[in-house]
DNA sequence: CCAAGAATAT
DNA sequence: AATATTCTTG
């Protein structure tokens, strides 16, 4: 068994979010129209509720700001896809799944190597940019700092929306970050590397499958994506688009092509027993 | 020049 | 509040 290094890796692979959940980023291949077209009528008997259903009829599409791609059809010639340049992509939504991936990557890299670029590469999420990660990382660090002050660690976050929770979960502190098990060593000064040493990114090991997602699948995912959280504040009227436009990769790094790796994931986003969002599919997978 | 980090902006 | 974008420094 020389699987020493592959050891943690294989384990990691198992926790990778299922395609369904990290689709928001990969939806890049699916156009909203297509999604809607597929969406469909899908009588989803086992689908959860969908209070805020994406009403197809109204001419108004969810787009935060103006300048979008599907807007005027003149831009260059094609107006279809390619643009990647000059276009603004929608805000990235860090779903618990994505964040989990993020945390895992950071954890496995060690705080020292956990720099945006490396994290991004390790996550191998299509469409994720360094800036995305950088921004999130910044916030994540603040969160960790915050935590050091109070609570030595117990990540008992995970509040089921009720009010009983362990300490260290201030209403202002939890939210997304509390939903993922924060690696212990994070709270200490991660110096010298405790267990993870990976100066470089083993991305090569991750590269296995390609995109094989079908439109139908994407459409389905598109739906559950919007109908998430059930505990949203009342005055929250901000809709953020869930699709990202990022059809092509432009890597200059020595790594190969970062593609999304799909794997089975049962989502255990909370170790403290406080189940949280998602996991729309009972028993296994669809 | 590229990338990380902090500071700002939306 | 959450992300993005800009600015500065390495």
């Amino acid at each position: 068994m020389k699987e020493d290094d592959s050891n943690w890796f294989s384990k990691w692979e198992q926790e990778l979010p299922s395609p369904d959940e990290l689709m928001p980023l990969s939806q890049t291949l699916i156009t909203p129209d297509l999604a809607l077209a597929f969406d469909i009528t899908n009588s989803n008997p086992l689908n959860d509720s969908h209070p805020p259903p994406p009403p197809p009829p109204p001419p108004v599409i969810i787009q935060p700001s103006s300048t979008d791609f599907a807007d005027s059809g003149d831009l260059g010639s094609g107006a279809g896809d390619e643009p990647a340049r000059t276009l603004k992509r929608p805000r990235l939504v860090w779903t618990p799944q994505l964040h989990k991936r993020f945390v895992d990557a950071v954890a496995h890299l060690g705080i020292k190597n956990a720099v945006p670029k490396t994290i991004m590469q390790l996550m191998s999420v299509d469409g994720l940019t360094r800036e995305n990660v950088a921004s999130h990382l910044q916030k994540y660090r603040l969160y960790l700092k915050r935590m050091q002050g109070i609570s030595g660690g117990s990540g008992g976050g995970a509040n089921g929306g009720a009010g009983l929770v362990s300490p260290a979960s201030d209403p202002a502190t939890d939210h997304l970050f509390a939903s993922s098990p924060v690696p212990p060593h994070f709270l200490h000064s991660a110096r010298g590397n405790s267990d993870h040493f990976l100066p470089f990114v083993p991305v090569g090991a991750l590269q296995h499958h390609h995109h094989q997602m079908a439109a139908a699948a994407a459409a389905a995912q598109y739906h559950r994506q919007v109908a998430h959280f059930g505990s949203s504040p009342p005055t929250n009227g901000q809709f953020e688009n869930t699709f990202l436009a990022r059809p092509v990769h432009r890597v200059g790094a020595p790594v190969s092509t970062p593609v999304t790796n799909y794997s089975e994931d049962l989502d255990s986003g909370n170790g403290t027993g406080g189940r949280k969002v998602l996991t729309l599919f009972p028993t296994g997978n669809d």
Side-chain angles (χ1 to χ4, degrees):
Chain A
M1 296 105 169
K2 57 180 189 162
E3 260 75 78
D4 333 45
D5 47 356
S6 311
N7 186 12
W8 60 272
F9 214 86
S10 42
K11 170 197 165 187
W12 189 40
E13 277 193 309
Q14 298 175 39
E15 1 185 283
L16 294 180
S18 60
D20 305 311
E21 306 308 352
L22 48 81
M23 253 335 133
L25 281 171
S26 320
Q27 275 171 4
T28 134
L29 296 173
I30 296 292
T31 67
D33 293 341
L34 185 51
L36 287 178
F38 268 87
D39 151 55
I40 28 206
T41 66
N42 197 19
S43 25
N44 322 8
L46 30 91
N47 208 336
D48 63 0
S49 54
H50 23 30
V60 53
I61 290 285
I62 33 172
Q63 258 301 311
S65 281
S66 26
T67 50
D68 33 30
F69 28 84
D71 178 72
S72 356
D74 88 90
L75 260 178
S77 26
D81 53 349
E82 184 4 81
R85 283 164 199 238
T86 329
L87 285 183
K88 267 155 56 116
R89 38 155 119 247
R91 277 168 73 107
L92 171 60
V93 178
W94 283 90
T95 69
Q97 269 57 36
L98 247 184
H99 179 63
K100 167 113 193 273
R101 200 119 163 171
F102 167 84
V103 172
D104 276 350
V106 174
H108 285 141
L109 279 170
I111 304 289
K112 274 179 56 191
N113 298 309
V115 295
K117 197 179 192 178
T118 315
I119 297 172
M120 176 193 66
Q121 290 177 160
L122 248 188
M123 288 177 72
S124 286
V125 173
D126 176 41
L128 232 197
T129 68
R130 188 169 53 79
E131 337 300 330
N132 284 139
V133 176
S135 187
H136 195 65
L137 180 61
Q138 185 177 25
K139 233 194 108 193
Y140 186 58
R141 280 171 173 160
L142 287 178
Y143 167 74
L144 290 182
K145 282 208 165 153
R146 215 163 207 199
M147 239 201 198
Q148 307 216 341
I150 346 186
S151 168
S154 94
N159 41 5
L164 47 113
V165 211
S166 354
S169 274
D170 297 77
T173 325
D174 49 3
H175 278 324
L176 212 205
F177 291 155
S179 59
S180 75
V182 176
H185 30 287
F186 276 27
L187 303 176
H188 309 146
S189 306
R191 260 105 261 167
N193 289 343
S194 343
D195 32 312
H196 325 103
F197 23 49
L198 237 321
F200 224 70
V201 189
V203 179
L206 278 174
Q207 319 265 280
H208 274 151
H209 341 116
H210 314 157
H211 311 98
Q212 23 79 292
M213 219 248 282
Q221 284 137 28
Y222 166 64
H223 255 221
R224 61 188 63 132
Q225 203 5 60
V226 259
H228 264 176
F229 309 105
S231 48
S232 291
T235 48
N236 199 359
Q238 270 214 305
F239 337 89
E240 297 301 324
N241 231 353
T242 358
F243 6 91
L244 266 196
R246 233 288 139 102
V248 62
H249 318 112
R250 37 154 287 262
V251 263
V255 300
S256 305
T257 351
V259 277
T260 54
N261 339 240
Y262 299 139
S263 272
E264 293 290 331
D265 179 277
L266 296 177
D267 176 353
S268 335
N270 349 3
T272 20
R275 194 205 138 255
K276 241 184 139 186
V277 294
L278 296 192
T279 318
L280 306 130
F281 299 90
T283 109
N285 42 55
D286 36 305

